[in-house]
Amino acid sequence: MMDEHGTTDALADHAGMTLDDALATLGSDPAKAAEMARHHKVDRAYLGVTPPAIEAVAKGWREALDLEARLALAAALWASDVHEGRIAAAKLLTQARIRPDDSAAWDMITAWVPACDGAAIADQVAIAGQKRLVADPARFDVLADWVASDHLWTKAAVLGFTLPWTKQTHPKPADLALRDRALDWAGTLAGDPHKVIQTALVSWLASLAKHDPASASGFVDRHGAAMKSYALKSARHRLG
């Protein structure tokens, strides 16, 4: 990743603004920022801006900037290590179609995954990743190594990135094969005791149950014993 000066220079070159300009556009509320710092418990700067407000700004940027400028802005916002800046960075790259959809956006998103350290940012990165994964399912191969990662949020990203494959009512054979691959990864993660993984797994299975209840129930039959008891109980309740 570029250093702060290089990132800022690239941003000014491509987006016509500085990082300070971008953060100022997001706004700030000191009182809410203090509340957010206590809530998230991660040592970084907070602006106190709500997700809908961030989305409104990011939407404007997506519409106004070309891909090169969006990538430069996303890189600068992520490098700022400001909570809302990182969420905005992911939102900048959250869209079904990116043209040209080369590897630049995907590479940036996946490079962010090991730096995730909390649910709010990790969830937004995962949503951005879902879009790029759906756009090019060959990227599934990248996730294979994440299952055995020592980094909590990288493992959680396996479930977050593959969530679209739990929502297909009439999947094509190729998508069924990808779903089966994701189910195998989920089976490995079932034995991870961390609450983040267990909670993500329950949500993933609940989504799958709405479209393929047999596969969701079969998963619980095969891997339920490896899950934490509270997660297994929740999964069975949500599967009906």
Side-chain angles (χ1 to χ4, degrees), residues 17 22 25-26 57-65 73 77 92:
M17 71 177 84
T25 302
L26 288 171
V57 174
K59 182 176 184 292
W61 284 336
R62 287 196 303 267
E63 293 173 349
L65 302 174
L73 178 54
L77 287 167
L92 268 170

Side-chain angles (χ1 to χ4, degrees), residues 8 19 23 29 39-40 46 50 54 59 66 71 78 98-99 107 131 133 140 154 156 165 169 175 210 213 219:
T8 302
L19 176 59
L23 293 174
D29 183 326
H39 172 73
H40 291 289
Y46 295 84
T50 65
I54 299 171
K59 182 176 184 292
D66 62 21
L71 289 168
W78 187 270
I98 291 181
R99 291 175 176 161
D107 289 346
K131 303 296 187 182
L133 195 59
F140 248 71
T154 297
W165 279 266
T169 303
D175 286 316
K210 295 177 182 177
F219 180 93

Side-chain angles (χ1 to χ4, degrees), residues 4-237:
E4 183 178 354
H5 181 70
T7 301
T8 302
D9 285 349
L11 173 58
D13 289 345
H14 295 296
M17 71 177 84
T18 66
L19 176 59
D20 287 343
D21 292 336
L23 293 174
T25 302
L26 288 171
S28 66
D29 183 326
K32 289 184 179 179
E35 292 177 8
M36 290 175 64
R38 291 191 294 270
H39 172 73
H40 291 289
K41 300 178 182 178
V42 177
D43 185 17
R44 62 167 44 94
Y46 295 84
L47 299 177
V49 182
T50 65
I54 299 171
E55 173 57 30
V57 174
K59 182 176 184 292
W61 284 336
R62 287 196 303 267
E63 293 173 349
L65 302 174
D66 62 21
L67 178 58
E68 192 171 12
R70 274 180 283 147
L71 289 168
L73 178 54
L77 287 167
W78 187 270
S80 74
D81 199 27
V82 174
H83 177 82
E84 292 85 351
R86 290 199 160 187
I87 290 177
K91 285 182 176 292
L92 268 170
L93 302 182
T94 302
Q95 58 192 104
R97 295 182 180 180
I98 291 181
R99 291 175 176 161
D101 189 10
D102 55 20
S103 64
W106 171 252
D107 289 346
M108 184 173 289
I109 292 165
T110 54
W112 290 338
V113 170
C116 290
D117 49 15
I121 293 173
D123 287 350
Q124 193 59 56
V125 170
I127 294 170
Q130 291 170 15
K131 303 296 187 182
R132 307 278 48 81
L133 195 59
V134 170
D136 185 359
R139 293 167 174 156
F140 248 71
D141 289 344
V142 173
L143 277 60
D145 293 336
W146 294 3
V147 183
S149 174
D150 292 331
H151 179 241
L152 171 65
W153 297 101
T154 297
K155 287 186 288 188
V158 174
L159 299 169
F161 276 52
T162 60
L163 192 62
W165 279 266
T166 69
K167 299 178 179 181
Q168 298 165 330
T169 303
H170 302 294
K172 298 177 181 178
D175 286 316
L176 279 173
L178 293 173
R179 178 188 289 178
D180 287 343
R181 195 173 183 190
L183 277 164
D184 286 342
W185 293 336
T188 299
L189 293 173
D192 189 299
H194 200 287
K195 186 176 181 179
V196 165
I197 302 298
Q198 293 289 308
T199 301
L201 180 57
V202 171
S203 295
W204 196 92
L205 290 171
S207 179
L208 179 62
K210 295 177 182 177
H211 305 279
D212 187 354
S215 290
S217 295
F219 180 93
V220 170
D221 290 341
R222 293 190 305 276
H223 301 288
M227 297 171 65
K228 300 295 289 185
S229 59
Y230 69 87
L232 178 59
K233 181 178 179 180
S234 179
R236 284 176 170 161
H237 175 73

